[in-house]
Amino acid sequence: MGVAQSDTADKIDEAVLLSVLSDVKHGDFSVRMPLEWTGVAGKIADTLNDVIAANQTLGSEMTRVSRVVGKEGKLSQRAAFRGSNPAWADSIESVNSLIEDLVRPTSEMQRVIGAVADGDLSKKITADVHGEVLELKNTINGMVDQLNRFVSEVTRVAREVGTEGKLGQAAAVTIEVGGVWKDLTDNVNLMAGNLTGQVRNIAEVTTAVANGDLSKKISADVKGEFLELKNTVNAMVDQLNRFASEVTRVAREVGVEGKLGGQAQSAEVAGVWKDLTDNVNQLAANLTNQVRAIADVATAVTEGDLTQQVGVQASGEVAVLKDKLNEMIRNLRETTRQNTEQDWLKTNLARFTRMLQGQRDLPTVTSMILSELASLVSAQHGVFYTLASIEDGSEQVLRYQSGYGYKERKHLANEFRLGEGLVGQCAKEKERILLTNVPGDYVRINSGLGESPPLNIIVLPILFEGSVRAVVELASFSTFSPTHQAFLDQVTESIGLVLNTIEANMLTENLLKQSQSQANQLQSRGEQLRSSNEDLGRQASRLAEQNIEVERKNQEVELAKRLVEEKAEQLAISSKYKSEFFSNMSHELRTPLNSLLILARELADNVDANLTEAQVQYASVIHSSGTDLLRLLNDILDLAKVESGTVALQISELPLEELQGALRLDFGHMADQKGLEYSVELAPDLPVSIATDPGRLRQVLKNLVANAFKFTDHGEVRVRVSRAQDGWSATNDTLRDAPFVTAFSVCDTGVGITDELQRRIFEAFAQADGTTARQYGGTGLGLSISRELVRLLGGEITLSSTPEQGSTFTVYLPSVPAGDIPAATLLSAAVESPAEAKPPRAAGTALAGMKVLVIDDDVRNIFALATLLERGKLEVLSAESGEEGLALLEQTPDIDIVLVDVMMPVMDGYATMRAIRELPLHGDVPILALTAKVEAGERQRCIDAGASAYVSKPVDTDELLLTLGEWLPAPVPVEAIDGNS
């Protein structure tokens, strides 16, 4: 049985084998051969099972690879076989190679299609393929090219239409597209055409709106959001139309027709249009409020109510209008107040004048004056003092005449001398005195109810034609207003006239009494007169004879008159010759003085330090004496020019503070040397500057102040500048008619001047002490020149002096504030340099190494100037005539500056300077004119002749070097010069 089974197991069961192979053939790799077979059959079964298992594994791997690669798209997956049979591995490798060949063009296509999907049309398939894959490659690349051209064209149209605003553009229809791409192109062109029509229609409407035409509307046939836009724009135009109409109506009613209070009504607007409507309404309301407020104030002003002010809130130009209107009202109120005060002032002055007319009794008049003044200026206390003479007639005093609310007191006098107390001081100064904050124990005003001290006291001088007639003193519980003070200042003139009239009437009455007494005496002498008539008859015959003699005398007087006229003509000719003589004398005296002063200055400076101290002192004395001689020469020439009428005034603006500073600077050191107090005061009511001749006014004031210091050994010298109301002679029409008069007072506490000397000190060469043993020096020309200069300025000099107490010289000048006169009347004192002159350099430029030509006919001047200039290390050339100087200039082209004397024989300095300007190489060389002529206009004549600058003789060393430094060209660097040169 065991053998039988073994045999059975070793045998192959064909049915089983056929069944397994049949299942494998039909693809069922899950079947297996029986495992219990042994022997050859077992080996066949095992081998067949391995083949089936390998096929099953290969099939599963192929299925997996097909699924993950073909369906799931995992192109990186490959087939893998874990067996060791090379044949099966080659099959797997072949499958993987096939997959690789299929995947590579697919990946390339994926890359290109992905780039196309991302909008990158620059990618193409570059894989090396064949067959249908090649056709696919070409198709995809062709599609990319067509898409590229299509996108470029559509992008162009979109950019031009949508971005650049080039309406009417269309995509080219010539590109090789079809199907959906062609439809898309047509749709893009249709869209561009629709947008063009719609946008142009909208642009037309919006342009019309921008141009103010609200009659246009969008009429294009649109749908969707464009329809909403169309409706919105058309609705906006309608709203704008209604808004503009309403705003125009409000603007016309408020701004043109003047219907204030109008408001724009537009209920169908919102947003900015509503804000704009509200702003227009606010504008109309603001204008309404502002105009009505201004109208109310204007109406009040028209009706005389000047207390109103525009209080409405405003800004900008309306605020400016409001401020200007309020300022105008304030000005009107102030003007009205001033006019009211002036009316009060003039009315009461006229009433006061009428009241005093015809009054003859002095006590009655003074009492009436105090009563009226007290009521007008609210005074409760007053005293009237009149000027009277003491019985011996040696001195005048102010004597009590009448009072108002006045009570006599033992410790108060009824008479005051001039300068005694405030009453006497007021009469002496002829100026009003105002006391404020009066002490409580000074004086008391009493009534039946009580008593109290006054707040203000005013003391007034009563003047007539500049002389004191009386003094009035008033006290008040309140302050005296400026109007009251002005009234009191003016009413005193009327009071002075009345007092003078009463005094004249009293004198007339006395004279009338005397005349009546004399008439009685004359009546008693009538008989004597009748008896003398016979004598008169005889005398009449003698008078007839005398008439014949008078006729003969008249003929002699006529002859003498003709002789006087001839003498006047001779005097005019003599005056002309006199002027020429003084001009020539000036040159002849100044020329030697020029060299004397220059050389004396050089010796006094002792630059080389080779002189002894005594020799330097000698040189200083020589220079000082020469300077004094020059000053005397200038005084004589000034007097000659004044007498000959050749003084030229140069009217310009003179700042008074500048004059104050100059006087302090000029005489401050002198006051310190003599131990005197010195002050220069300006009254507060003066203008900033006046129009006059500053140089002449300073000359006059310096002469007066110098005299004050000369004749004052102790005390003070005081200069005061103020407005003056009187003090000059009544015959001076210029001062009387001037807008105001400026008084320049020079007061000192010196030796004083007697009445006898006061009458002659203003005469030329007259001195208080003219003897050889006199204490004070001088020529006696200063006051004479000052008087004539002041007369030329339209003014007058007065003198008030008391021996051993001091003197006061007062210069009265007609004045006009500099800003109130035409600019054409202001003559500049400076002379402009010619236009061709070089601009001057700063003073102090080094002069060493420069070449200077001196042209002068006087060898002494040449020597002096050469010495001075060579001291400064300049190279000096000289010529003694104009012709010689011109020749030297032509031979020496490197001359830096020329010094020309004006008065030379044959070819004078003017002709020489004109000739130099015509030289081609020296037409612009600086020329410095040196002249001893001091006539008016001499500087301008030199400038007109071609001079660059002007220096008068005697030459001031510092001025000459400074002028040379200003006009010399920039020097080549040389050795530094001595600082003293």
Side-chain angles (χ1 to χ4, degrees):
M1 187 174 178
V3 174
Q5 291 178 345
S6 174
D7 290 340
T8 302
D10 287 339
K11 290 181 180 180
I12 299 174
D13 187 348
E14 292 84 357
V16 174
L17 179 58
L18 180 60
S19 175
V20 170
L21 291 174
S22 179
D23 292 336
V24 171
K25 175 183 176 181
H26 290 92
D28 181 11
F29 294 103
S30 62
V31 298
R32 293 292 184 271
M33 292 297 290
L35 296 178
E36 63 271 12
W37 287 3
T38 61
V40 175
K43 291 181 179 180
I44 292 172
D46 292 338
T47 301
L48 185 58
N49 286 337
D50 290 340
V51 172
I52 293 172
N55 280 327
Q56 186 179 17
T57 302
L58 182 59
S60 299
E61 190 64 19
M62 290 298 106
T63 300
R64 183 187 67 80
V65 170
S66 175
R67 185 184 70 253
V68 297
V69 174
K71 294 182 178 181
E72 298 178 4
K74 298 178 180 179
L75 300 183
S76 62
Q77 296 293 320
R78 295 293 182 269
F81 187 73
R82 290 180 292 275
S84 60
N85 192 334
W88 296 109
D90 291 339
S91 298
I92 292 298
E93 186 65 28
S94 297
V95 171
N96 288 337
S97 178
L98 172 62
I99 294 172
E100 184 67 29
D101 291 339
L102 290 174
V103 165
R104 186 169 62 254
T106 302
S107 299
E108 189 74 9
M109 294 175 191
Q110 178 185 3
R111 179 180 64 82
V112 173
I113 293 172
V116 171
D118 293 337
D120 183 5
L121 299 180
S122 63
K123 307 295 185 182
K124 287 189 178 182
I125 299 174
T126 58
D128 186 14
V129 294
H130 302 279
E132 294 182 2
V133 177
L134 177 59
E135 294 179 0
L136 181 59
K137 166 186 173 183
N138 293 335
T139 300
I140 292 175
N141 287 342
M143 177 195 70
V144 171
D145 291 337
Q146 286 183 346
L147 283 176
N148 217 337
R149 289 192 296 274
F150 170 75
V151 168
S152 298
E153 192 66 14
V154 171
T155 301
R156 178 185 66 80
V157 172
R159 182 182 69 253
E160 293 180 351
V161 174
T163 303
E164 300 176 0
K166 297 179 180 180
L167 302 179
Q169 301 295 319
V173 296
T174 57
I175 57 177
E176 300 176 357
V177 294
V180 69
W181 302 115
K182 185 176 183 305
D183 294 340
L184 184 57
T185 301
D186 295 338
N187 289 333
V188 168
N189 289 337
L190 178 61
M191 176 192 69
N194 290 338
L195 282 175
T196 297
Q198 295 163 0
V199 171
R200 283 178 176 171
N201 193 200
I202 294 173
E204 179 184 1
V205 173
T206 54
T207 302
V209 171
N211 293 330
D213 182 5
L214 300 178
S215 63
K216 303 291 185 181
K217 287 190 177 183
I218 299 175
S219 58
D221 186 14
V222 295
K223 299 178 181 180
E225 294 186 8
F226 268 101
L227 177 59
E228 294 179 2
L229 177 60
K230 167 186 175 181
N231 295 334
T232 300
V233 172
N234 288 339
M236 177 193 72
V237 173
D238 291 336
Q239 288 182 350
L240 283 178
N241 215 336
R242 290 191 297 272
F243 171 76
S245 299
E246 193 67 14
V247 171
T248 301
R249 177 187 65 80
V250 172
R252 183 181 66 255
E253 290 179 354
V254 175
V256 178
E257 299 175 359
K259 297 179 180 178
L260 302 178
Q263 293 284 287
Q265 303 296 330
S266 184
E268 297 180 1
V269 294
V272 69
W273 303 114
K274 186 176 185 306
D275 295 340
L276 185 56
T277 303
D278 295 340
N279 290 336
V280 170
N281 289 336
Q282 185 179 2
L283 167 66
N286 288 341
L287 282 176
T288 298
N289 294 335
Q290 293 165 358
V291 171
R292 284 177 176 172
I294 293 173
D296 292 342
V297 174
T299 301
V301 172
T302 303
E303 294 173 353
D305 182 6
L306 298 178
T307 61
Q308 301 296 323
Q309 292 277 295
V310 180
V312 67
Q313 292 293 330
S315 58
E317 293 187 8
V318 177
V320 174
L321 174 61
K322 165 192 169 183
D323 295 339
K324 293 297 183 182
L325 185 59
N326 288 337
E327 183 179 359
M328 179 194 72
I329 294 172
R330 288 193 295 271
N331 292 340
L332 280 175
R333 186 165 57 245
E334 180 63 20
T335 302
T336 302
R337 183 188 63 78
Q338 293 177 358
N339 290 339
T340 302
E341 292 177 352
Q342 289 298 318
D343 290 341
W344 179 88
L345 187 65
K346 293 176 181 179
T347 301
N348 286 296
L349 282 174
R351 187 176 67 85
F352 214 93
T353 303
R354 289 194 303 271
M355 180 190 70
L356 295 178
Q357 288 178 352
Q359 298 295 330
R360 293 178 177 274
D361 183 55
L362 184 61
T364 303
V365 169
T366 55
S367 178
M368 181 187 303
I369 290 172
L370 286 178
S371 298
E372 291 296 326
L373 288 180
S375 61
L376 286 175
V377 300
S378 300
Q380 291 77 36
H381 194 62
V383 185
F384 203 110
Y385 296 92
T386 57
L387 193 65
S389 299
I390 300 179
E391 294 178 358
D392 59 3
S394 61
E395 185 179 4
Q396 289 184 320
V397 296
L398 290 163
R399 184 169 295 159
Y400 172 81
Q401 186 63 239
S402 60
Y404 179 85
Y406 176 72
K407 179 181 179 181
E408 292 188 3
R409 284 168 287 182
K410 294 181 179 180
H411 64 283
L412 291 181
N414 287 333
E415 293 183 354
F416 295 93
R417 289 182 174 84
L418 296 184
E420 182 180 359
L422 292 181
V423 174
Q425 189 65 30
C426 175
K428 182 179 179 180
E429 294 183 353
K430 302 178 183 179
E431 296 287 343
R432 164 169 48 88
I433 299 176
L434 177 64
L435 302 180
T436 59
N437 299 323
V438 178
D441 57 351
Y442 186 77
V443 66
R444 288 186 173 272
I445 301 173
N446 55 21
S447 68
L449 298 176
E451 61 180 7
S452 180
L455 183 63
N456 276 184
I457 294 178
I458 190 167
V459 187
L460 303 167
I462 307 299
L463 305 177
F464 178 75
E465 293 184 350
S467 61
V468 176
R469 297 294 182 180
V471 172
V472 176
E473 184 176 6
L474 299 173
S476 175
F477 288 130
S478 59
T479 59
F480 291 105
S481 67
T483 304
H484 289 163
Q485 296 179 36
F487 169 74
L488 292 173
D489 289 339
Q490 296 182 34
V491 79
T492 53
E493 298 179 2
S494 300
I495 297 175
L497 179 60
V498 170
L499 294 181
N500 184 72
T501 303
I502 292 175
E503 183 178 346
N505 289 336
M506 294 173 64
L507 180 60
T508 302
E509 290 177 357
N510 293 332
L511 291 175
L512 180 59
K513 293 178 181 179
Q514 294 177 8
S515 66
Q516 289 174 350
S517 174
Q518 292 173 357
N520 295 330
Q521 296 176 4
L522 288 174
Q523 186 176 4
S524 64
R525 295 178 183 177
E527 296 178 358
Q528 299 175 3
L529 291 176
R530 282 191 299 271
S531 64
S532 62
N533 283 338
E534 296 176 0
D535 296 335
L536 291 175
R538 290 189 295 270
Q539 292 175 3
S541 61
R542 288 197 299 270
L543 285 175
E545 296 174 357
Q546 292 175 356
N547 285 336
I548 297 173
E549 182 68 19
V550 168
E551 184 66 27
R552 187 179 60 79
K553 292 290 185 181
N554 287 338
Q555 294 176 358
E556 294 177 356
V557 168
E558 185 66 26
L559 178 62
K561 179 180 179 183
R562 287 195 296 270
L563 292 175
V564 168
E565 291 176 351
E566 293 176 0
K567 290 291 185 182
E569 293 179 1
Q570 295 175 3
L571 182 60
I573 297 174
S574 175
S575 177
K576 175 183 176 182
Y577 292 153
K578 183 178 179 181
S579 297
E580 294 176 353
F581 165 75
F582 276 113
S583 178
N584 293 328
M585 186 190 71
S586 170
H587 175 266
E588 295 302 326
L589 291 177
R590 288 172 182 268
T591 298
L593 270 178
N594 182 53
S595 56
L596 183 147
L597 290 176
I598 291 177
L599 295 176
R601 174 67 181 273
E602 286 295 302
L603 291 174
D605 288 344
N606 194 16
V607 177
D608 297 332
N610 56 1
L611 299 179
T612 65
E613 184 177 351
Q615 291 172 330
V616 172
Q617 186 66 28
Y618 298 157
S620 299
V621 171
I622 294 172
H623 186 272
S624 176
S625 300
T627 303
D628 292 340
L629 184 59
L630 175 62
R631 188 178 300 109
L632 175 60
L633 175 62
N634 289 335
D635 287 343
I636 296 174
L637 292 176
D638 280 342
L639 181 62
K641 286 190 287 184
V642 168
E643 291 180 347
S644 63
T646 59
V647 176
L649 298 179
Q650 294 178 326
I651 305 301
S652 63
E653 181 178 350
L654 173 62
L656 293 178
E657 290 187 356
E658 178 182 319
L659 176 64
Q660 180 186 35
L663 291 176
R664 286 175 175 170
L665 181 64
D666 290 340
F667 296 97
H669 65 286
M670 187 178 298
D672 294 338
Q673 290 175 358
K674 300 192 69 173
L676 300 176
E677 294 184 6
Y678 176 52
S679 62
V680 183
E681 304 171 357
L682 297 180
D685 59 345
L686 289 172
V688 176
S689 59
I690 62 174
T692 186
D693 187 329
R696 296 301 182 184
L697 178 58
R698 287 194 179 104
Q699 180 180 353
V700 171
L701 294 179
K702 288 174 68 174
N703 181 55
L704 295 178
V705 177
N707 283 344
F709 276 104
K710 181 166 69 174
F711 294 105
T712 303
D713 294 328
H714 61 275
E716 65 170 349
V717 174
R718 177 166 53 89
V719 180
R720 175 173 173 78
V721 185
S722 62
R723 287 180 183 250
Q725 301 296 331
D726 50 33
W728 57 88
S729 61
T731 58
N732 194 319
D733 297 336
T734 304
L735 291 175
R736 184 189 61 206
D737 300 334
F740 70 91
V741 176
T742 304
F744 301 85
S745 300
V746 179
C747 305
D748 64 68
T749 57
V751 298
I753 305 171
T754 64
D755 293 340
E756 179 184 356
L757 291 177
Q758 290 180 25
R759 288 190 290 271
R760 65 183 183 89
I761 61 172
F762 286 104
E763 300 300 326
F765 306 103
Q767 296 178 302
D769 182 6
T771 64
T772 57
R774 65 190 183 202
Q775 178 181 359
Y776 304 101
T779 62
L781 295 177
L783 289 178
S784 176
I785 295 172
S786 298
R787 182 187 63 180
E788 295 303 322
L789 290 178
V790 171
R791 182 182 59 80
L792 288 175
L793 292 171
E796 183 178 312
I797 293 184
T798 64
L799 168 62
S800 173
S801 180
T802 302
E804 304 304 327
Q805 294 185 11
S807 304
T808 299
F809 286 87
T810 304
V811 177
Y812 297 98
L813 290 182
S815 303
V816 177
D820 294 345
I821 64 175
T825 63
L826 295 178
L827 302 180
S828 175
V831 178
E832 296 293 335
S833 299
E836 65 271 11
K838 293 182 180 179
R841 296 203 321 273
T845 306
L847 306 178
M850 299 292 101
K851 185 174 291 186
V852 181
L853 172 59
V854 180
I855 304 177
D856 198 321
D857 63 321
D858 193 317
V859 294
R860 296 169 299 179
N861 279 336
I862 293 177
F863 174 74
L865 290 172
T867 301
L868 170 64
L869 298 175
E870 289 173 353
R871 180 78 66 186
K873 298 185 179 180
L874 285 88
E875 182 179 351
V876 181
L877 304 179
S878 63
E880 297 183 10
S881 66
E883 296 87 345
E884 184 180 343
L886 292 174
L888 191 57
L889 273 172
E890 292 179 346
Q891 298 171 7
T892 313
D894 59 342
I895 289 178
D896 296 304
I897 194 168
V898 181
L899 275 63
V900 180
D901 181 34
V902 171
M903 298 185 69
M904 294 188 295
V906 184
M907 188 177 188
D908 62 12
Y910 306 125
T912 302
M913 289 187 285
R914 293 190 184 96
I916 293 175
R917 290 301 179 204
E918 295 176 358
L919 294 177
L921 296 180
H922 299 283
D924 58 350
V925 65
I927 301 176
L928 185 61
L930 305 176
T931 178
K933 297 178 70 175
V934 292
E935 298 177 356
E938 177 62 23
R939 177 187 179 89
Q940 187 60 43
R941 283 194 289 272
C942 293
I943 297 298
D944 294 340
S948 305
Y950 165 97
V951 176
S952 62
K953 291 183 180 179
V955 174
D956 181 83
T957 303
D958 294 333
E959 179 185 1
L960 178 61
L961 293 178
L962 178 63
T963 307
L964 288 174
E966 292 176 348
W967 286 99
L968 279 174
V972 178
V974 295
E975 180 183 357
I977 64 172
D978 191 334
N980 291 329
S981 65

